[in-house]
Amino acid sequence: MKRILLLLILGIGFIFIACDEPQPFEDSQFSYNPFSFKKDTVYNVQSIDGGHSDIDWGSHLRAWVGETNHYKAGIDIRFQLPDTSLDLSTADSVLLYARHAMSFAENGTDTIISTYANAAFSRTDGQTIDILNSNFGSPLTVDTINVKTNNTYWTYRLPAGTVTPADTLVGLGIFPDETGFLSTVYGGGSSIRPSLLFYFHEPDSAGKDSATAVTVLADTLYQYLEEIPGAFDRTNFHYLSQLTQDSITIQLDIDPLMATGDTLVHIISSSILPAIDESVSSMYVSGTVDSLVTYYLRVLDYDASIASSLILGIDDDPSNDIASIIQHAINSGDQTINLVLKSNHIGYDPGFIAISNDPAESSIYVHSSKVVRP
């Protein structure tokens, strides 16, 4: 009995010794305090700067005609006449064809009620164009253009004598003669760019009327696009327009997201939240299709050349994730990054967004996790 009691006391003693001095755990894959999750809206934008530059419209696929509260646009189309045995100046009629893609109303909430708008046609070669003051060259006539039906042709009959025997180059302009619309036509970089059709009528062998047509495609197209003076509040906002190559650079301090020691940071998701003022922005929709309800952007880490695509909606943000950009900067040990916002749909829609130039109003949303290195 005494022997059993002695063994029991020794066993209890070993238990107390084991609790007081735990044995070390040697598994190198073990992580202590392994995970923590955090969701934050981080107001750490240091500065916001805007940049403005024009598109190279000459070789662009689209061109614009129209006038709204924000823009006035028209096109100057140049045709190099071919050196043929056929005297093009003797044509019975000359038609200008421009394929109209679609039109946009004054802003994103309006629709185009009228089917037709007035356009001023003019002779432009050798002339000075001042679109804001409606100086479009040598006036020809005002004619109507279809601004509501998508994918149709604008057709204009040149007045007799517009093309003379001495002409080797013909410049023709299409400019707005009323307000409230912006229309896009296929431009100089398109295979279906504007054309001139020279028609010759003569009787055939049976005495019936026969027509011969000579087609001359546009050689060069000049885009005249001007902002209406005072239309944009550049004192309080930077603008991103799809009719120019605007950009906005946001300098972001990511030091609050960094970790020290053996802690690793994993960015699960992150969204950029620029301070967009919808009351002075225009998220356009097509006049008849109502299809464009989003604004497409590219976000570029200028220093690392990493890009993400954003789609900003009117009522929500259907696609806005810059996690890869933030993660790359953290992995590289950068304390700040320069995010460049640009339009991803340049030249195709007249929408623009206004972003407050107050850095304190913009932010990023970050959903991250932390893990301690083994």
Side-chain angles (χ1 to χ4, degrees):
M1 186 67 164
K2 291 181 179 179
R3 189 174 182 179
I4 295 174
L5 182 60
L6 180 60
L7 290 173
L8 181 61
I9 292 173
L10 289 174
I12 293 173
F14 279 127
I15 292 174
F16 279 109
I17 292 173
C19 291
D20 187 51
E21 296 290 339
Q23 297 299 310
F25 192 79
E26 300 294 341
D27 188 350
S28 62
Q29 300 302 313
F30 178 76
S31 298
Y32 57 95
N33 187 23
F35 293 105
S36 67
F37 293 94
K38 194 174 184 182
K39 296 181 179 181
D40 282 320
T41 299
V42 184
Y43 291 89
N44 54 353
V45 174
Q46 300 299 299
S47 64
I48 299 180
D49 296 308
H52 180 87
S53 61
D54 294 327
I55 298 174
D56 180 12
W57 288 104
S59 58
H60 205 70
L61 292 173
R62 298 288 178 95
W64 292 87
V65 176
E67 182 176 356
T68 65
N69 289 333
H70 295 91
Y71 298 104
K72 189 170 184 179
I75 53 177
D76 174 7
I77 312 165
R78 300 298 173 94
F79 299 90
Q80 188 73 46
L81 300 185
D83 184 12
T84 68
S85 59
L86 189 62
D87 185 357
L88 296 179
S89 66
T90 62
D92 301 303
S93 61
V94 184
L95 298 184
L96 169 64
Y97 280 79
R99 185 166 177 175
H100 165 242
M102 65 175 61
S103 294
F104 297 84
E106 178 62 56
N107 58 54
T109 60
D110 292 340
T111 57
I112 297 176
I113 298 175
S114 174
T115 302
Y116 294 95
N118 288 327
F121 291 83
S122 59
R123 185 75 185 259
T124 57
D125 46 307
Q127 304 294 313
T128 299
I129 306 298
D130 182 356
I131 189 170
L132 285 180
N133 292 310
S134 300
N135 180 8
F136 306 140
S138 299
L140 295 176
T141 59
V142 172
D143 204 349
T144 57
I145 53 177
N146 187 324
V147 296
K148 196 163 187 177
T149 305
N150 292 344
N151 291 315
T152 186
Y153 275 95
W154 292 349
T155 304
Y156 174 69
R157 183 185 294 271
L158 273 63
T162 302
V163 180
T164 68
D167 287 333
T168 57
L169 177 72
V170 175
L172 299 173
I174 309 177
F175 296 94
D177 196 60
E178 64 179 77
T179 62
F181 75 97
L182 270 176
S183 291
T184 175
V185 297
Y186 289 90
S190 171
S191 61
I192 48 176
R193 57 190 182 273
S195 61
L196 285 179
L197 267 68
F198 294 82
Y199 286 95
F200 300 85
H201 292 81
E202 58 185 1
D204 59 16
S205 57
K208 296 181 180 180
D209 183 63
S210 176
T212 300
V214 176
T215 302
V216 179
L217 288 177
D219 179 66
T220 309
L221 187 148
Y222 298 96
Q223 174 74 70
Y224 289 89
L225 176 69
E226 296 287 345
E227 294 179 1
I228 303 299
F232 293 92
D233 178 8
R234 300 193 183 277
T235 301
N236 299 301
F237 299 98
H238 295 302
Y239 289 86
L240 281 176
S241 170
Q242 293 177 323
L243 292 180
T244 55
Q245 295 197 85
D246 296 342
S247 63
I248 293 180
T249 302
I250 298 179
Q251 187 178 70
L252 195 63
D253 176 17
I254 62 169
D255 189 59
L257 304 176
M258 307 290 275
T260 58
D262 290 335
T263 303
L264 303 177
V265 178
H266 172 64
I267 305 299
I268 299 171
S269 63
S270 181
S271 300
I272 186 168
L273 306 174
I276 299 174
D277 190 325
E278 291 189 11
S279 66
V280 290
S281 301
S282 287
M283 306 291 284
Y284 274 77
V285 295
S286 166
T288 56
V289 180
D290 293 343
S291 61
L292 182 64
V293 295
T294 54
Y295 195 98
Y296 297 82
L297 293 175
R298 290 286 283 172
V299 178
L300 173 71
D301 177 354
Y302 182 80
D303 301 308
S305 297
I306 301 175
S308 294
S309 294
L310 271 64
I311 304 177
L312 302 182
I314 295 177
D315 300 318
D316 56 7
D317 296 324
S319 176
N320 184 346
D321 191 0
I322 58 170
S324 61
I325 294 177
I326 304 298
Q327 186 70 64
H328 182 274
I330 290 176
N331 294 346
S332 301
D334 299 330
Q335 292 183 323
T336 60
I337 56 176
N338 293 307
L339 297 179
V340 181
L341 276 65
K342 295 182 177 181
S343 171
N344 200 27
H345 211 220
I346 293 176
Y348 284 85
D349 303 293
F352 58 86
I353 57 176
I355 298 177
S356 171
N357 57 19
D358 182 358
E361 295 186 17
S362 294
S363 62
I364 60 170
Y365 165 80
V366 180
H367 181 196
S368 62
S369 67
K370 292 183 179 180
V371 62
V372 178
R373 190 193 305 272

